[in-house]
C-alpha cells in the first residue's frame, strides 16, 4: 500500500458484497486506480443514482494485502478500520476509505486526530465501542426450552464483538442473541458458534410460567434496590439511554 501520488475524485460508485474482505478489495481498487469514488455501497445500500456503478469483486488475496498494509500503520489504525466497519452509519465505507488514503499519505498521518479524515473514522469506531460497552451489560436473556434467547436493537453491527464476551461467560449454556435491527443472529449451541444473516424476522416465543416468575423476581429485585430519595432520571438516561429499555426486563414497562 502506498499513499504516493494524487487521488482524483470520480463520479463512480463502487458496489461490493458487504463483507470486510469485499470492502478491503474496494480499498485496493481505489489505491490501484488512484481514484476516490463518489460512494461505496453494500447490497443493502444500493439506491437509484445518476452515477455509474462498478461491481468490485471480493478478492481474498487483495484483501489480505490491504489488511497487512493497515496493520503496518499500527494497532490503533487497524482497530479504527475494524471497529469502524461494524458501524451502522450508511457512509462508513467512504469515511474509512478517505481515512486510509490520508493515513498512507505519510508517516504518522493515521494518528492526527485534528485531521477531518482521521476524526471522522475515529468517531465511527468510538460510537461502536460505546454501544458495545453498553450492550455487554444490557443484554437480557429469557429461557425457552432449555435455550437462552435475547433480542437487541443496536445501531451498529455488534454481534461479532459480543461473540467472545458471551461465549466465555455462558460457555456451559446454549443461547441465541438476535439483532433485530440488522436481521442477524449469534447462535451458540453445543460449544459451537455461528453468526447468521436471517432472511425473515425472528420472533422469540412468549415466556412460559416459570420464566415469567423469574422475570418478576428480577423486577422486584430492581425495585427493591431503588432509593426513592436519590432517584435521578437524567443521570439514569445518561448511563442507560431509553432506546435500550425496550429490551431490558426491568425497564420495559417504563418506556
Amino acid at each position: 500500500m502506498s499513499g504516493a501520488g494524487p487521488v482524483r475524485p470520480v463520479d463512480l460508485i463502487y458496489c461490493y458484497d458487504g463483507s470486510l474482505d469485499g470492502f478491503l478489495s474496494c480499498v485496493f481498487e481505489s489505491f490501484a486506480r488512484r481514484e476516490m469514488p463518489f460512494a461505496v455501497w453494500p447490497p443493502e445500500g444500493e439506491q437509484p443514482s445518476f452515477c455509474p456503478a462498478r461491481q468490485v469483486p471480493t478478492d481474498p488475496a487483495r484483501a489480505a494485502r490491504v489488511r497487512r498494509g493497515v496493520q503496518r500503520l499500527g494497532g490503533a489504525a487497524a482497530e479504527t478500520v475494524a471497529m469502524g466497519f461494524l458501524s451502522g452509519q450508511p457512509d462508513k465505507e467512504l469515511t474509512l476509505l478517505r481515512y486510509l488514503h490520508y493515513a498512507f499519505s505519510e508517516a504518522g498521518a493515521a494518528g492526527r486526530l485534528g485531521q477531518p479524515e482521521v476524526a471522522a473514522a475515529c468517531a465511527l469506531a468510538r460510537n461502536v465501542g460505546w454501544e458495545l460497552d453498553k450492550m455487554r451489560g444490557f443484554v437480557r436473556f429469557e429461557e425457552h426450552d432449555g435455550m437462552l434467547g435475547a433480542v437487541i436493537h443496536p445501531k451498529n453491527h455488534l454481534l461479532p464483538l459480543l461473540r467472545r464476551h458471551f461465549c466465555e461467560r455462558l460457555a456451559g449454556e446454549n443461547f441465541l442473541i438476535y439483532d433485530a435491527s440488522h436481521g442477524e443472529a449469534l447462535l451458540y449451541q453445543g460449544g459451537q458458534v455461528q453468526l447468521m444473516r436471517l432472511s425473515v424476522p425472528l420472533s422469540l416465543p412468549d415466556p412460559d410460567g416459570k420464566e415469567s416468575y423469574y422475570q418478576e423476581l428480577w423486577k422486584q429485585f430492581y425495585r427493591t434496590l431503588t432509593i426513592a430519595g436519590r432517584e435521578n432520571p437524567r443521570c439514569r438516561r445518561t448511563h442507560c439511554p431509553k432506546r435500550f429499555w425496550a429490551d431490558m426486563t426491568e425497564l420495559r414497562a417504563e418506556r
Side-chain angles (χ1 to χ4, degrees), residues 112-208:
R112 295 174 185 167
L113 298 178
Q115 186 69 23
E117 294 88 345
V118 179
C122 289
L124 287 180
R126 280 197 308 273
N127 182 264
V128 173
W130 177 89
E131 190 175 45
L132 172 65
D133 182 63
K134 296 295 184 185
M135 199 62 69
R136 283 172 176 159
F138 295 159
V139 173
R140 297 291 183 262
F141 289 96
E142 298 180 356
E143 184 176 2
H144 304 275
D145 297 325
M147 174 172 279
L148 302 177
V151 179
I152 59 176
H153 292 78
K155 292 183 178 180
N156 303 298
H157 298 266
L158 297 184
L159 291 184
L161 301 173
L162 291 172
R163 174 172 51 187
R164 180 176 179 179
H165 176 77
F166 284 104
C167 287
E168 289 180 350
R169 289 191 64 189
L170 304 173
E173 304 286 348
N174 295 323
F175 67 85
L176 179 142
I177 303 176
Y178 173 50
D179 177 351
S181 299
H182 305 102
E184 300 167 347
L186 170 65
L187 174 65
Y188 183 80
Q189 192 170 25
Q192 301 297 315
V193 62
Q194 297 180 61
L195 279 170
M196 304 175 291
R197 182 177 292 274
L198 307 180
S199 57
V200 295
L202 176 67
S203 297
L204 297 184
D206 294 331
D208 58 20

Side-chain angles (χ1 to χ4, degrees), residues 12-19 22-27 29-30 35-47 54 56 85 89-98:
L12 179 68
I13 297 169
Y14 286 3
C15 297
Y16 76 109
D17 64 2
S19 68
F23 168 66
L24 296 179
S25 298
C26 291
V27 175
E29 182 91 356
S30 176
E35 64 184 20
M36 181 63 66
F38 174 75
V40 182
W41 286 349
E44 64 271 17
E46 295 180 9
Q47 52 189 292
R54 177 190 301 156
V56 179
F85 184 74
Q89 293 293 327
D91 59 348
K92 65 182 181 185
E93 293 90 352
L94 195 59
T95 298
L96 293 175
L97 181 58
R98 288 170 175 163

